[in-house]
Amino acid sequence: MAERTTRPGGPRRGRPDHRPRPAGGPRDHGAGPRDGAGLSTALRDMHGASYGRYKSLTGTWNFDGFDLEVLRVQPDPYAPASRCEIRVHPGTAELPPELHSTPVRARALAGFLVRAAAHRLRDSGLRVDAGGQQVLDRSACQLSSDGGVRLRLGIDLPGRGRSIDGHAAERALCRRVPDVVEAALRHATADQTRMREFVESVEDTDALREALTGRDLVAFVADGAVLPRRSGVDERPLPDAVPFSSPESMRVSITVPNRGEITGMGIGPGITLVVGGGFHGKSTLLRALENGVYDHVPGDGRELVVSRPDSVKVRAEDGRRVHRVDVSAFVGHLPTGADTADFSTDNASGSTSQAAAIVESVEAGAGVLLVDEDTAATNLMIRDARMQALVAKESEPLTPFVDLIRPLSRSLGVSTVLVMGGSGDYMDVADRVVMMDAYQAREVTEQARQLARTPTGRHQEADGFPPVRHRVPDPASIPVERPKVRARGTDALTLGESTVELRAVEQLVDPSQVTGIGLALVTCTRNGLLDGTRTVAEVLEAFEERVAEQGVAAVDARFAGDFAVPRRFELAAALNRLRVLRVASFRD
């Protein structure tokens, strides 16, 4: 799996080249003309010189209509790639103001441009972090308020052994870069129809998501949406998949700015149970809702599948660290006598890890929980009548989720969408039941209620859910002294000497989000947002406010590499899984 190694707070400096220059070797180009012709001459003159001479390229080179800044030069051919930034002047880009007139439209337009640039740069040795099916706020491409474009690139500066291949470097920087500016970053030469469709599609998705609260919905799945993916490693839509069709009883209509009125299944607050046979589409529907917190590229099939922004997927996660979390709602007592209202372990079981994940998500501000029985701890989900009869409650520390899901909704206003094919006891607490049958959705709430009228002999084990105990993290436990940040795909984050396992954080969709999480944790600590007095929720709130004001700079203003702005919930998940985290105190 690809790794990304970064250091927050600015570019990493290469080693200076102190070796004497051979007679007749390249001159110092720092004093020459800093324009496109000067860069071309400099690279040709460097051909065959020691690789360290590339260092003299650092700085800005002025081309016709854009600037190219060399931000970081790799010290040798085997080091992480060099970093460059293209800044296209507004008069060159000529992007229509209405296409970037709002933050949503600007993010969408940047998403279109970065993908166009990545397509143009294929097989060039220049790399752009364009991402996949989701349209994220990325450092790789940003728009200024006046319509200028900033595009960041990675390049392995060409070498032959440890000497410079100046001719190949000249082709990459002086020919391919102007080509991508001309062909991909200018409105006049772009596919203008696709550009507008991309922006309007993302705007519609965002408007649809914003409409959920006013319509008293937690999620919406449009008629005609394509939910199945090609495979577990290919997020593109499955060809010839059955398009989604809403049950008539749950069909609602919502008007969005560009498509107009659309229809689909509206999921209301409370408890929604998704049932059906194996391989009939239950988990596929839930995965679409997990991804409904993001906007998608046109043609993805899920452009009009949206969930409330505060939706969080939770699951069991054997072996994770849990630090000072109040799991007393789920774990009443332990044989060891440990205080479950202030629970810590370095090796959580499936049940305690899922209990902690639920409490941590609510602490971080989650208003909707997404749960799939396939990834849940069975003993935390249900204790049926026979097991209740065999094992007395005094001998069972765990209170199952089936008895807490309703109090969680009633007391804290937290809704749940739950995939369940193995226990009918959840019919007793469901507000609505959706059956997936050969990827077709049917509402079967009334049939489920009829069945629930037949007593099973099971009795409820809880009737309330305690208020959230807010934790205050200790800033001294976050490494900030030039820590190395490394994203191992979406599976793990290395922050300093610590590795944060993120495989179970299933709403992470891009390695650049993982890099953004590492940078954000360091920035929040350095800038005093995480200061030892704020709770986790207050830190997250302050971070979101900074992002709204500053954009990607709120994550790291000087970092030269690629990252995406993370959601507050994945940022909290990484903080909670940081094995060196210390919690200083609680605040109720």
Side-chain angles (χ1 to χ4, degrees), residues 320-325 327 343-348 352-353 356 360 576:
R320 67 155 283 195
R321 181 181 189 247
V322 175
H323 185 57
R324 303 197 70 182
V325 178
V327 296
F343 178 75
S344 297
T345 179
D346 287 330
N347 188 20
T352 54
S353 65
E360 290 165 346
N576 287 319

Side-chain angles (χ1 to χ4, degrees), residues 565-585:
V565 179
R567 291 201 316 153
R568 65 183 290 161
F569 301 104
E570 285 69 55
L571 182 60
L575 178 66
N576 287 319
R577 286 160 178 78
L578 183 65
R579 288 194 171 267
V580 296
L581 174 69
R582 295 189 302 272
V583 170
S585 61

Side-chain angles (χ1 to χ4, degrees), residues 88-223:
V88 184
H89 305 161
T92 302
E94 295 184 313
L95 299 170
E98 69 271 14
L99 290 186
H100 56 92
S101 58
T102 67
V104 171
R105 283 187 158 232
R107 175 167 52 81
L109 182 54
F112 175 85
L113 294 173
V114 74
R115 287 167 172 80
H119 179 78
R120 192 73 184 182
L121 289 172
R122 286 182 305 175
D123 305 320
S124 69
L126 292 157
R127 299 188 295 278
V128 180
D129 180 36
Q133 299 297 102
Q134 293 80 16
V135 183
L136 306 177
D137 194 2
R138 298 178 178 277
S139 64
C141 189
Q142 292 284 304
L143 300 182
S144 59
S145 58
D146 59 3
V149 181
R150 190 185 78 199
L151 182 75
R152 288 195 170 177
L153 311 167
I155 177 173
D156 292 312
L157 287 171
R160 296 179 176 178
R162 294 188 179 274
S163 63
I164 288 173
D165 185 343
H167 300 311
E170 194 269 344
R171 287 193 297 272
L173 294 177
C174 300
R175 302 184 200 179
R176 293 305 298 270
V177 166
D179 173 71
V180 77
V181 171
E182 175 62 29
L185 303 180
R186 297 185 62 235
H187 182 257
T189 53
D191 186 332
Q192 296 176 14
T193 299
R194 288 188 60 202
M195 178 185 288
R196 186 170 292 276
E197 287 175 350
F198 195 106
V199 171
E200 291 181 348
S201 177
V202 171
E203 184 178 46
D204 281 348
T205 305
D206 182 78
L208 183 59
R209 190 179 299 108
E210 288 293 316
L212 292 178
T213 301
R215 299 294 297 269
D216 198 26
L217 300 173
V218 300
F220 176 89
V221 185
D223 290 328

